[in-house]
Amino acid sequence: MSSESQKILTTDGIPLEESLKKTERKNKIKAFLLVCPLLFFLIISYVSPIVGMLFTSVDDRMVTNMLPKTFKAMEDWDGKDLPSEKVFEAFYLDYKILVDENRHGKLATQMNYEKNGFKSILKKLARKQKKFEEGNYKEQIMKVHKRWGQVDYWRAIKRRAPSYSYIKYLKGVDMYENEEGKIVEVPEDRRIYKILWLRTLEIALVVTIFCFLLAYPIAHLLATLPMKYSNLLMICVLLPFWTSLLVRTASWMILLQQQGLVNDFLVWIGIVADDHRPVMMYNKIGTYIAMTQILLPFMVLPLYSVMKTISPSLMRAGKSLGGTPFITFWKIYFPLTIPGIGAGCLLVFILAIGYYITPELVGGASGTLISNQIAYHMKHTLDWSFASAMGLMLLTGVLVVYWVYNKLVGIDNIKLG
Amino acid sequence: MPNKEQFVRFDKVDKSYDGKVLVVKDLNLDIAEGEFITMLGPSGSGKTTCLMMLAGFETPTNGEIYLDSNPISNIPPHKRGIGMVFQNYALFPHMTVYENLAFPLKVRKISKEEIDKKVDKVLSMVSLSGFEKRMPNQLSGGQQQRVAVARALVFDPQVVLMDEPLGALDKNLRESMQYEIKHIHESIGVTVVYVTHDQGEALTMSNRIAVFNDGKVQQLSSPDKLYEEPVNSFVAEFIGENNTFSGEVTDISKNKCKVKLDLGKEIIANPIKVKSKGEKTIVSLRPERAIIDPENQMDNKHKGKIEEVIYHGDHTRVRLDILGNKEFILKVPNSSARMDIKVGNEINVGWNSHDSRALDPK
């Protein structure tokens, strides 16, 4: 009763809500059509590659499709003792097809990832299977090489049965699933990715801190200087944006290498001896310096845009109320710039964590990041699923940073301009 | 206490920003303790610069400013102990009202209980008790203004400066805030230096007003004197309404002079800025000092033609064409007696020569 009486009607007797919806529908359609091209573009260029990457990283159907009969026969094998004749027969049949179609090399590569020593026994089997007689395949296969009689190798085959697997992710953090199906770390001398992840994190953090320390005073100057000077300074800050990334990185190489300008200068003023020139390139130091310079504008701009909005009268008020310049800065100015600091740090950190070209060129062995490893697997080992897995781990890392930031500072507090 | 009359003293202060133009020229100004003094003037007249020099945000190019007999040019702003209310309030947006008010006390290392007491007291003074937890952006303009005033007073400064504090408020609020600030001043007796370009505000609130123009103090006197007895034509025109006649002095005695207007007629005026025959002058007369159908003892009587009548409720403003001045304004109180005030009619207007002041010709 009461809800009915509250329903407001327009002058023509149509319910107000309905009428409002009708009039706004046209605007909504217009707005959607305007957004459409961008939405389409985003789906094609952004969403679909990420979904594809996710798929590639867990896709393990290659082996599954090569040995369909074997995996079917293995379904009721408990994995304790050697499999039954049925499994051996199925494996022989599968493998025969592969050899006939000349695809058995790929299987050998894949299985060798799983367990060392697979390549040679598979190759031997490929040669010998031509003379196999019908029936009693178990005995015939085991005769080819004694390893075929070891249960470990059959277990390794079974581990590759599922179409989807997370082993690439395990590999990305230096872990693997051992024979007993337990997840363990690889031996210490073969761990590489954990070090790389930590180094990526460390370099991104240090670069962010350097950028912040350098950008804060610059942004403050920019925001407080009179127009004619601040414009000039702004151009200096933006100049790197107008130069190619490669050119900038290359110029750092010219400056920082051992026979470079900086070292020449240091030798000339006598700080370092000619035969003890410090190595500033092809290591972490080079990466720090070059990345800080390249990412600096991304810190300056959000800081500047926030500082520009802080009225100078606030600082004056702070001083007139008795605050020393330091207290006034720390209690009034600094807290008001936190949205800019947050935005700048988040931006620089996220950019730094996935940086590729600069570390590739100036990083050397100790200054490369995880993205360089991803590129390596895409271009050289062609292990795309591993590259995808690491790419997704990186993306997840970025999202975690974003989430933590949102919890701590609040994403609404970000000001980019 | 010595120097009570010279609590704040500007001594031959000059200020220039670019080394070419003097924004403040040879300023000499004494402000007494407990006084409410207003610096009034058009924009660019140097009044805010004076305030900023007193607060310590600008340094005098020449001369010295004394506070309680001590030169303060070399004391940084935070050591001067001068409270300031800014034009846009300048409340710290990330702090609550309480934190804003506690800021000047905290930096003075005052104990927590003392701070609470003082904040309570000052909040009740501006009638904002209970607003401690609010953020500045949750307050209306008037409330923000009152917090800003409270913050400037909470640490018991010797002097409080106010830089057009009511400029952003609407008319009604502005008027009630004027009274409120005036009452606060009266109750705590702090010295207030107030800057505004609104003459109504200046007249209502101040003990004395310094009218600034062109970097100089044109006149420094109480509001009534400033209105009744402006010393030059700038002050006469800037404060209140003003009818002017320009002409030349033809005869002068101790307190009367004859001025021949440009059209040839003569009026009798009070010589303020003119000394001898032949000087050019501008004669200034307040609209309310001229009346219709004058009595006999008035020594200026002239005929004028009504050009325009504007109804203002309690009074009617009449624009006359008189003695060659087509912008002569007359204020007629609203009464049923005057039915002949219509456009085109001719009326007799008169005033005492004492009220028409012969000033400088600009």
Side-chain angles (χ1 to χ4, degrees):
Chain A
M1 180 74 196
S2 67
S3 72
E4 245 172 61
S5 64
Q6 274 170 7
K7 211 169 199 176
I8 306 167
L9 301 181
T10 62
T11 342
D12 288 339
I14 313 161
L16 189 62
E17 271 178 42
E18 220 169 87
S19 175
L20 187 69
K21 260 186 208 158
K22 211 167 144 192
T23 46
E24 285 191 347
R25 197 173 301 143
K26 215 179 215 174
N27 283 336
K28 274 184 190 164
I29 292 172
K30 259 190 215 163
F32 180 74
L33 285 178
L34 273 176
V35 175
C36 238
L38 183 65
L39 192 69
F40 193 64
F41 177 76
L42 276 181
I43 289 173
I44 288 195
S45 69
Y46 200 72
V47 179
S48 67
I50 288 181
V51 173
M53 204 162 86
L54 177 68
F55 191 72
T56 318
S57 70
V58 294
D59 182 18
D60 196 23
R61 287 174 304 174
M62 195 200 266
V63 178
T64 317
N65 292 339
M66 281 196 253
L67 305 171
K69 295 191 193 87
T70 316
F71 292 135
K72 186 125 202 342
M74 271 181 167
E75 265 168 24
D76 32 73
W77 173 50
D78 60 1
K80 276 179 188 154
D81 303 314
L82 270 179
S84 63
E85 166 68 20
K86 203 175 68 178
V87 174
F88 279 87
E89 183 184 352
F91 179 71
Y92 164 74
L93 293 174
D94 281 337
Y95 196 60
K96 191 173 161 53
I97 296 169
L98 289 178
V99 173
D100 291 349
E101 291 172 2
N102 208 12
R103 289 195 290 146
H104 61 290
K106 267 188 188 166
L107 181 71
T109 314
Q110 286 295 320
M111 289 317 298
N112 215 52
Y113 283 148
E114 197 61 43
K115 190 156 177 68
N116 277 331
F118 242 120
K119 212 166 196 163
S120 58
I121 61 170
L122 274 169
K123 280 197 171 142
K124 206 166 179 194
L125 183 64
R127 288 197 300 275
K128 295 273 167 89
Q129 53 92 21
K130 286 164 197 157
K131 296 170 190 160
F132 273 19
E133 288 156 23
E134 208 162 308
N136 209 3
Y137 292 107
K138 189 169 178 176
E139 212 167 284
Q140 292 187 71
I141 291 177
M142 276 162 55
K143 226 190 239 166
V144 170
H145 196 283
K146 64 170 192 256
R147 282 188 215 147
W148 284 115
Q150 290 174 12
V151 70
D152 286 355
Y153 286 85
W154 291 98
R155 280 198 201 121
I157 292 177
K158 181 160 184 171
R159 278 206 299 278
R160 297 301 297 263
S163 311
Y164 301 97
S165 83
Y166 50 84
I167 51 163
K168 300 296 180 188
Y169 289 91
L170 289 182
K171 190 177 168 190
V173 288
D174 286 333
M175 290 189 171
Y176 73 107
E177 207 175 324
N178 66 4
E179 269 96 276
E180 286 92 51
K182 273 190 194 148
I183 294 166
V184 291
E185 274 187 281
V186 298
E188 200 148 349
D189 54 328
R190 291 173 63 191
R191 286 176 202 165
I192 37 173
Y193 300 112
K194 219 172 236 174
I195 298 167
L196 264 181
W197 284 114
L198 287 178
R199 189 196 291 157
T200 304
L201 214 61
E202 180 198 333
I203 288 184
L205 263 178
V206 171
V207 166
T208 308
I209 291 167
F210 279 165
C211 277
F212 168 69
L213 292 179
L214 288 173
Y216 203 87
I218 297 175
H220 180 72
L221 252 185
L222 268 175
T224 47
L225 272 183
M227 205 50 144
K228 57 177 176 178
Y229 302 113
S230 72
N231 274 345
L232 188 71
L233 191 60
M234 188 56 125
I235 288 172
C236 293
V237 168
L238 290 181
L239 204 61
F241 270 151
W242 303 343
T243 321
S244 152
L245 183 60
L246 273 173
V247 172
R248 275 182 284 161
T249 310
S251 53
W252 276 117
M253 292 164 79
I254 294 168
L255 282 172
L256 293 180
Q257 58 186 294
Q258 268 194 301
Q259 301 301 321
L261 289 176
V262 174
N263 262 321
D264 284 349
F265 179 73
L266 291 178
V267 170
W268 182 65
I269 59 171
I271 288 182
V272 295
D274 201 5
D275 45 355
H276 284 100
R277 290 174 173 236
V279 184
M280 291 184 287
M281 185 94 312
Y282 310 119
N283 58 13
K284 258 192 211 171
I285 301 173
T287 309
Y288 285 148
I289 294 176
M291 276 179 72
T292 302
Q293 192 261 337
I294 286 162
L295 292 174
L296 195 59
F298 294 99
M299 186 69 93
V300 173
L301 290 178
L303 276 176
Y304 165 74
S305 76
V306 167
M307 287 175 176
K308 196 82 190 160
T309 62
I310 299 175
S311 158
S313 68
L314 287 180
M315 291 291 277
R316 288 185 161 182
K319 283 180 197 156
S320 81
L321 293 170
T324 60
F326 176 75
I327 288 184
T328 315
F329 168 79
W330 185 244
K331 295 274 178 190
I332 295 161
Y333 196 77
F334 186 77
L336 291 173
T337 57
I338 284 178
I341 298 174
C345 287
L346 200 64
L347 203 61
V348 169
F349 185 80
I350 288 176
L351 283 173
I353 212 169
Y355 228 64
Y356 168 65
I357 297 181
T358 307
E360 179 77 22
L361 290 176
V362 305
S366 64
T368 48
L369 307 182
I370 203 76
S371 50
N372 302 101
Q373 198 64 29
I374 295 175
Y376 172 75
H377 283 291
M378 289 191 65
K379 289 193 300 192
H380 296 103
T381 67
L382 298 182
D383 193 351
W384 279 38
S385 61
F386 184 42
S388 300
M390 286 208 286
L392 273 177
M393 286 159 87
L394 193 58
L395 181 64
T396 318
V398 168
L399 291 178
V400 166
V401 170
Y402 182 85
W403 179 81
V404 169
Y405 179 84
N406 191 19
K407 283 278 153 189
L408 291 181
V409 187
I411 220 72
D412 319 335
N413 270 335
I414 273 196
K415 269 190 198 158
L416 285 172
Chain B
M1 229 188 274
N3 283 322
K4 268 214 158 185
E5 286 302 311
Q6 291 188 340
F7 191 60
V8 177
R9 190 152 79 89
F10 286 85
D11 186 25
K12 294 186 197 129
V13 171
D14 293 326
K15 175 70 188 176
S16 170
Y17 287 107
D18 54 3
K20 290 170 193 145
V21 184
L22 279 175
V23 194
V24 175
K25 296 172 196 159
D26 190 21
L27 176 72
N28 294 289
L29 183 64
D30 292 343
I31 299 168
E33 195 171 11
E35 193 176 22
F36 195 123
I37 193 164
T38 299
M39 295 177 174
L40 176 67
S43 9
S45 58
K47 55 191 191 319
T48 298
T49 305
C50 287
L51 201 70
M52 289 302 166
M53 285 194 285
L54 185 50
F57 300 125
E58 300 290 351
T59 334
T61 314
N62 184 40
E64 184 59 83
I65 302 171
Y66 297 90
L67 178 62
D68 209 4
S69 307
N70 302 312
I72 57 169
S73 282
N74 289 323
I75 301 176
H78 64 273
K79 287 187 185 149
R80 292 193 182 187
I82 294 177
M84 183 148 182
V85 182
F86 291 83
Q87 195 166 5
N88 48 6
Y89 320 141
L91 296 179
F92 307 134
H94 59 298
M95 297 184 186
T96 62
V97 168
Y98 174 87
E99 286 166 333
N100 263 288
L101 294 176
F103 180 83
L105 304 172
K106 268 186 193 152
V107 299
R108 287 176 171 75
K109 308 221 162 30
I110 292 171
S111 70
K112 178 89 177 60
E113 301 90 69
E114 191 78 1
I115 290 178
D116 285 349
K117 230 189 275 169
K118 288 197 170 207
V119 169
D120 261 8
K121 199 178 135 203
V122 80
L123 269 181
S124 70
M125 190 168 77
V126 296
S127 42
L128 278 179
S129 299
F131 281 71
E132 288 91 342
K133 295 242 161 59
R134 299 272 192 100
M135 299 303 279
N137 59 12
Q138 294 170 315
L139 302 175
S140 69
Q143 288 167 337
Q144 288 186 31
Q145 183 54 62
R146 279 186 272 176
V147 175
V149 171
R151 191 179 63 178
L153 292 169
V154 71
F155 60 101
D156 303 319
Q158 300 168 287
V159 182
V160 173
L161 313 181
M162 301 193 184
D163 184 11
E164 307 204 16
L166 307 181
L169 303 179
D170 63 55
K171 190 166 169 285
N172 285 339
L173 200 53
R174 197 156 63 218
E175 277 167 12
S176 70
M177 281 301 296
Q178 285 170 12
Y179 291 117
E180 208 161 317
I181 291 178
K182 193 175 160 76
H183 292 153
I184 290 172
H185 167 251
E186 280 160 6
S187 64
I188 62 175
V190 66
T191 310
V192 177
V193 182
Y194 192 98
V195 161
T196 183
H197 61 260
D198 181 334
Q199 40 146 321
E201 208 164 284
L203 293 175
T204 331
M205 300 172 78
S206 329
N207 298 125
R208 282 195 303 162
I209 299 172
V211 180
F212 273 73
N213 189 39
D214 204 18
K216 277 193 157 163
V217 176
Q218 305 288 330
Q219 185 170 1
L220 173 64
S221 50
S222 59
D224 52 338
K225 260 198 146 174
L226 200 65
Y227 186 81
E228 312 279 350
E229 298 165 20
V231 296
N232 60 31
S233 46
F234 173 80
V235 177
E237 277 199 18
F238 192 71
I239 310 282
E241 257 186 309
N242 193 34
N243 291 316
T244 57
F245 299 99
S246 61
E248 199 183 298
V249 180
T250 50
D251 191 14
I252 188 161
S253 65
K254 192 161 179 278
N255 47 20
K256 274 191 187 173
C257 66
K258 275 189 181 161
V259 176
K260 191 175 174 203
L261 302 183
D262 298 344
L263 278 181
K265 292 206 172 168
E266 273 193 347
I267 56 172
I268 302 166
N270 185 5
I272 304 293
K273 273 271 169 124
V274 287
K275 300 231 157 45
S276 58
K277 268 198 259 183
E279 272 186 69
K280 289 267 177 201
T281 182
I282 283 181
V283 178
S284 146
L285 175 70
R286 296 285 179 206
E288 64 274 14
R289 290 298 161 98
I291 57 168
I292 303 178
D293 291 341
E295 301 136 36
N296 281 334
Q297 62 262 42
M298 286 193 163
D299 42 11
N300 280 303
K301 283 183 224 165
H302 301 281
K303 256 193 190 330
K305 194 175 145 212
I306 300 178
E307 293 276 323
E308 194 178 359
V309 178
I310 304 155
Y311 182 69
H312 270 256
D314 59 342
H315 73 275
T316 305
R317 294 161 66 86
V318 180
R319 186 161 66 82
L320 293 177
D321 179 2
I322 190 169
L323 298 166
N325 181 354
K326 288 193 171 180
E327 303 293 329
F328 190 95
I329 299 289
L330 202 60
K331 282 186 185 172
V332 186
N334 193 352
S335 77
S336 51
R338 304 293 327 186
M339 300 308 288
D340 58 334
I341 297 184
K342 292 210 173 75
V343 175
N345 284 1
E346 288 220 332
I347 49 172
N348 285 315
V349 177
W351 62 88
N352 281 320
S353 63
H354 178 76
D355 294 328
S356 57
R357 299 162 66 83
L359 305 168
D360 56 313
K362 266 196 256 186

